[in-house]
Amino acid sequence: EVQLVESGGGLAQPGGSLRLSCAASGFIFSNYEMIWVRQAPGKGLEWLSYISGNDNNVYYADSVRGRFSISRDNPQNSLYLQMNSLRAEDTAVYYCARVVAQLPRFWGQGTLVTVSS
Amino acid sequence: DIQMTQSPSTLSASVGDRVTITCRASQSISSWLAWYQQKPGKAPNLLIYKASTLETGVPSRFSGSGSGTEFTFTISSLQPDDFATYYCQQYNSLWTFGQGTKVEVK
């Protein structure tokens, strides 16, 4: 069974850092591109970052470029999102998703990040 | 960056109604458009991709059409389980979502 389980969310102070993890199981993780998407409370979906299967290619949305960093550990079947210089507007549920044929077709359940003093 | 404009933001409807949502891209995305359904507290669920192709297991009352910059999503006969928020998403160049359409009970 394909599973994606996000963790690492919680409360962070403005200017602080958090590292999100996404544990993958039920498929050959290294074969798949992965992305992070977030959803602020009561708002829509926002794509944040992409990483290729061999992590040679990464892309970021303008809103997080220079502050967030995506990475993966294929032997550990894990995806990460290092979030630095956090702002109140980064408060959201963060989802990891598996990409198939350019589409995020399978999503985790999300982890909530709250940025507040 | 490609912007996606979705309308309406809220739609009030009754069971059995035909529901239509529109999505417009800021530049041509060919047919690289998907539609997702999201229920409160849950991750989005893919319904349609390549503008009009139904994902496996999705009921045939859902359909999509369009190409280039103008796209339409239709529920032919709204069912109780369909009250949710729907998002369009372009995947021609990275990914951009529309603002969402909440389908609520009239």
Side-chain angles (χ1 to χ4, degrees), chain B residues 71-91:
Chain B
F71 301 89
T72 300
F73 171 81
T74 300
I75 307 173
S76 60
S77 178
L78 194 67
Q79 298 303 300
D81 191 48
D82 300 339
F83 291 99
T85 300
Y86 295 84
Y87 293 92
C88 63
Q89 178 211 44
Q90 70 81 19
Y91 54 107

Side-chain angles (χ1 to χ4, degrees), chain B:
Chain B
D1 292 6
I2 299 174
Q3 309 301 318
M4 304 301 294
T5 303
Q6 190 176 335
S7 60
S9 56
T10 307
L11 192 159
S12 299
S14 302
V15 172
D17 284 354
R18 182 180 181 87
V19 166
T20 299
I21 300 169
T22 298
C23 188
R24 178 178 292 121
S26 61
Q27 64 189 74
S28 177
I29 57 170
S30 184
S31 295
W32 302 115
L33 185 99
W35 292 95
Y36 292 82
Q37 178 192 69
Q38 188 182 33
K39 295 184 177 180
K42 301 293 187 182
N45 182 44
L46 178 66
L47 299 179
I48 289 170
Y49 62 96
K50 213 169 181 184
S52 61
T53 303
L54 216 58
E55 177 74 333
T56 303
V58 173
S60 59
R61 64 180 180 272
F62 296 99
S63 65
S65 64
S67 66
T69 61
E70 299 283 338
F71 301 89
T72 300
F73 171 81
T74 300
I75 307 173
S76 60
S77 178
L78 194 67
Q79 298 303 300
D81 191 48
D82 300 339
F83 291 99
T85 300
Y86 295 84
Y87 293 92
C88 63
Q89 178 211 44
Q90 70 81 19
Y91 54 107
N92 179 74
S93 175
L94 299 177
W95 299 269
T96 314
F97 293 90
Q99 302 94 321
T101 296
K102 183 178 181 181
V103 177
E104 62 178 23
V105 177
K106 187 173 184 179

Side-chain angles (χ1 to χ4, degrees), chain A residues 12-15 38-41 43-44 46 48 63-64 67-68 83 85-94 113-116:
Chain A
Q13 297 222 332
R38 71 182 176 187
Q39 185 168 37
K43 301 297 184 182
E46 179 187 17
L48 299 178
S63 59
V64 302
R67 299 189 300 124
F68 290 11
M83 304 188 298
S85 304
L86 284 164
R87 306 166 180 166
E89 54 265 35
D90 295 319
T91 294
V93 173
Y94 286 72
V113 171
T114 302
V115 183
S116 174

